[in-house]
Amino acid sequence: MTSDDDLSARFTAERDHLRAVAFRMLGSAAEADDALQEAWLRAQRADRAAIANPAAWLTTVTSRVCLDRLRARRRRAEVPLVPGPGDGGAEAIGPEPEAEAVLVESVGRALLVVLDRLTPAQRVAFVLHDLFAVPFEEVATVVDRSVVATKKLASRARARVDGPGPDA
C-alpha cells in the first residue's frame, strides 16, 4: 500500500468491520465513530510501505485506539448510562421488526454491562478473539503481550462474562 488513494480505499472497504470492532469495545456508536476518526488520522501518518496486511493493520490500529479510550475511561471513572425500568426496554417483544430491534438493542446493552466488568486488556482480547475470531497472535500484538498472556486474558474475560455458576 503506497498511495493515499490505496489507503483511503482500504479504509473504506474495512470501515464497517472497524466500526463494529470499535462499537463492541466501546459500547457507544458516537465513541466508535470518534475512534474510527482517530484511527484514520493515525493511518494517514503511518509508514504505509511497512504495512504487509492492511486489513489486519487497520484492525490493530482501531483496537489500540479503543484500548486507549477504555484506559482513559477507567482513569476518569466514567459510568456508562444504563437505562432503568421503563426507559424503553424490551417489554413488547413480538414478531414485528420494531420489537426485534428493541430486543437487539436490549441484548446489546446487556452485553455492554457484562463487558464493563472486564479490564481494558481483557475486553480487547475477548471482543477481538471471541466475537470477531481474530487469531490470538494478532490480538497479542494489539494488547502488546505474549500469545500465552493474551490467551489467559481471554480466558479470564470468559470467566468474568460467564459469572458465578448457579451454585455460587
Side-chain angles (χ1 to χ4, degrees):
M1 176 175 358
T2 57
S3 74
D4 286 339
D5 290 339
D6 291 342
L7 176 65
S8 178
R10 177 51 85 176
F11 192 84
T12 301
E14 297 294 327
R15 185 175 191 81
D16 289 341
H17 168 74
L18 298 173
R19 189 169 192 281
V21 168
F23 178 76
R24 289 286 188 250
M25 291 177 67
L26 297 171
S28 159
E31 274 193 281
D33 290 337
D34 289 346
L36 276 187
Q37 185 174 15
E38 188 174 336
W40 169 247
L41 293 173
R42 287 186 188 183
Q44 286 183 311
R45 293 188 303 255
D47 176 18
R48 290 186 264 309
I51 300 171
N53 183 342
W57 185 83
L58 287 168
T59 300
T60 299
V61 169
T62 302
S63 298
R64 286 186 176 163
V65 167
C66 293
L67 185 57
D68 292 345
R69 288 177 175 264
L70 288 169
R71 287 179 179 147
R73 183 187 292 172
R74 283 203 182 256
R75 283 192 299 270
R76 289 191 309 258
E78 290 182 11
V79 178
L81 294 175
V82 179
D87 288 345
E91 294 90 6
I93 302 300
E96 288 142 34
E98 296 86 11
E100 288 181 30
V102 169
L103 176 62
V104 167
E105 185 177 331
S106 64
V107 168
R109 279 187 289 203
L111 178 63
L112 292 176
V113 169
V114 170
L115 289 177
D116 204 39
R117 299 158 83 190
L118 307 177
T119 67
Q122 287 173 339
R123 194 175 203 176
V124 169
F126 179 77
V127 168
L128 288 180
H129 183 266
D130 289 23
L131 299 181
F132 289 97
V134 175
F136 278 119
E137 293 75 18
E138 291 179 33
V139 177
T141 62
V142 173
V143 294
D144 198 27
R145 298 194 182 172
S146 70
V147 175
V148 173
T150 304
K151 287 180 180 180
K152 190 63 178 175
L153 278 174
S155 173
R156 288 180 178 155
R158 277 185 225 103
R160 277 191 168 173
V161 166
D162 290 343
D167 297 328

